[in-house]
Amino acid sequence: MTDDDDSDIDDSDIDDSDIDDSDIDCEYTTCLPVQVDVASGCDDDIVRAALVLPSGADHGKDVGRFIRMLMRSRHGTPFEHTFFRFVVKAPIFVLREWQRHRIGWSYSEISARYRQLEPEFWMPSLGRPIHEPEEFNPMRPELERDDALVEETIQVLSATYQAVWAAYQHLLSRGVAREVARAVLPVGIYSQMVCSCNVRSLLHFLSLRTHKLSARYPSYPQYEIEQCAKLIEAAFRERFPHTHAAFEECGRVAP
Ligand SMILES: Cc1cc2nc3c(=O)[nH]c(=O)nc-3n(C[C@H](O)[C@H](O)[C@H](O)COP(=O)(O)OP(=O)(O)OC[C@H]3O[C@@H](n4cnc5c(N)ncnc54)[C@H](O)[C@@H]3O)c2cc1C
């Protein structure tokens, strides 16, 4: 920082009374909307890809059996000739977990550098397990329900969200760039992304972001991303019933 920069800082500009949180219109929600925007391909297309046949060609195979064979032998590339695109609106902490899935996934997220985020914040739902029991094991996190604690958390979150939203608005009103003002926002604020993947990468995502004791390697994902994963899995099962059945049969391990 130069001396000139220093001279621009005037403490009298920073006044708590500028931060007015008396009438803040924050919206709170537990919703995790995931929309299947585009889906293409089907079980037969996976068989055709494995046999190097063009789309629509007669493959003459028992689809269920053939896909089971591909899945068991972990012959994975035929599952890549398929496509899903999702539109996801979720708190930043969910998108951040999701975007850790790098292979076979593409992401486009709205930019808080270029636009103001909306005052829409996540709240835990009643019934969501929330309490860490005494014998809590972070590697196998199993939380207990405690709706009174959810309600207490909602109180704390709403006060916090209002305060940070007021701070964000204050900074913007002072002419601070959006890319800097966003630093006050919490991971509970909603963002939106479009993401796409193929069935192979989707299966890997489902293996890690759903909890099933029947899985060969049960995973312990956070509740919210699991809610999203369950929605996606239902859409995937409907479109690729044989692939889904083979995935289950093979212990929910992606090929
Ligand atoms: C329950 C749970 C807890 C987690 N906790 C944490 C945590 O505490 N901290 C944290 O940082 N992350 C955490 N993660 C994220 C996790 O480490 C993975 O980043 C995430 O699940 C994506 O998995 P992936 O890397 O297998 O997927 P992808 O990135 O889609 O990769 C798919 C596969 O490609 C291969 N691959 C990808 N990149 C490489 C590479 N660079 N080198 C070699 N092979 C590669 C691997 O076989 C990999 O499984 C957690 C995930 C889960 C499900």
Side-chain angles (χ1 to χ4, degrees):
M1 183 181 275
T2 64
D3 288 349
D4 282 352
D5 290 332
D6 269 333
S7 66
D8 286 342
I9 298 175
D10 176 359
D11 281 345
S12 65
D13 285 347
I14 304 167
D15 178 355
D16 283 346
S17 64
D18 287 348
I19 302 179
D20 175 9
D21 59 0
S22 57
D23 186 24
I24 294 164
D25 203 9
C26 291
E27 196 180 313
Y28 305 123
T29 176
T30 60
C31 294
L32 295 161
V34 178
Q35 181 196 334
V36 181
D37 185 35
V38 179
S40 77
C42 60
D43 288 324
D44 287 279
D45 288 331
I46 293 168
V47 176
R48 288 188 197 103
L51 297 171
V52 197
L53 291 171
S55 65
D58 184 13
H59 55 67
K61 298 286 182 191
D62 176 325
V63 182
R65 230 175 118 185
F66 195 82
I67 285 186
R68 221 162 36 243
M69 182 274 292
L70 293 176
M71 192 79 76
R72 276 206 201 118
S73 56
R74 303 201 71 193
H75 179 12
T77 43
F79 296 91
E80 295 171 11
H81 302 277
T82 50
F83 183 77
F84 275 98
R85 183 162 71 209
F86 307 107
V87 179
V88 184
K89 187 170 175 186
I92 285 174
F93 67 82
V94 172
L95 300 191
R96 189 164 162 183
E97 289 184 339
W98 200 316
Q99 290 165 0
R100 296 301 305 275
H101 295 263
R102 299 157 288 177
I103 307 301
W105 283 89
S106 303
Y107 301 96
S108 297
E109 185 177 353
I110 59 168
S111 168
R113 284 189 73 198
Y114 304 126
R115 60 191 269 187
Q116 260 196 63
L117 293 187
E118 298 296 319
E120 198 171 352
F121 296 93
W122 171 82
M123 288 291 185
S125 49
L126 287 178
R128 184 218 194 276
I130 192 167
H131 183 248
E132 288 188 1
E134 270 180 24
E135 65 283 8
F136 179 72
N137 174 357
M139 296 311 291
R140 297 167 72 86
E142 282 172 300
L143 303 177
E144 291 169 348
R145 278 189 62 164
D146 182 340
D147 283 352
L149 195 55
V150 170
E151 279 171 5
E152 189 181 326
T153 305
I154 287 172
Q155 295 302 319
V156 172
L157 283 175
S158 73
T160 308
Y161 289 155
Q162 293 211 17
V164 298
W165 188 254
Y168 183 56
Q169 291 301 310
H170 169 71
L171 292 173
L172 294 175
S173 74
R174 300 283 300 128
V176 173
R178 283 165 280 208
E179 67 183 25
V180 174
R182 66 175 170 178
V184 297
L185 296 173
V187 292
I189 196 165
Y190 272 74
S191 182
Q192 286 183 67
M193 69 173 180
V194 167
C195 58
S196 49
C197 67
N198 60 58
V199 161
R200 189 182 194 184
S201 48
L202 183 62
L203 292 174
H204 187 62
F205 176 87
L206 294 177
S207 74
L208 290 168
R209 300 303 180 178
T210 57
H211 175 68
K212 290 246 177 165
L213 285 174
S214 60
R216 187 168 307 154
Y217 309 107
S219 188
Y220 290 81
Q222 179 158 343
Y223 183 87
E224 284 69 34
I225 198 166
E226 187 178 25
Q227 301 307 302
C228 299
K230 283 177 173 171
L231 285 170
I232 286 180
E233 182 160 0
F236 159 66
R237 184 173 49 228
E238 198 177 321
R239 191 168 186 96
F240 293 88
H242 291 294
T243 305
H244 185 267
F247 174 57
E248 285 283 5
E249 214 178 291
C250 292
R252 296 175 69 84
V253 175

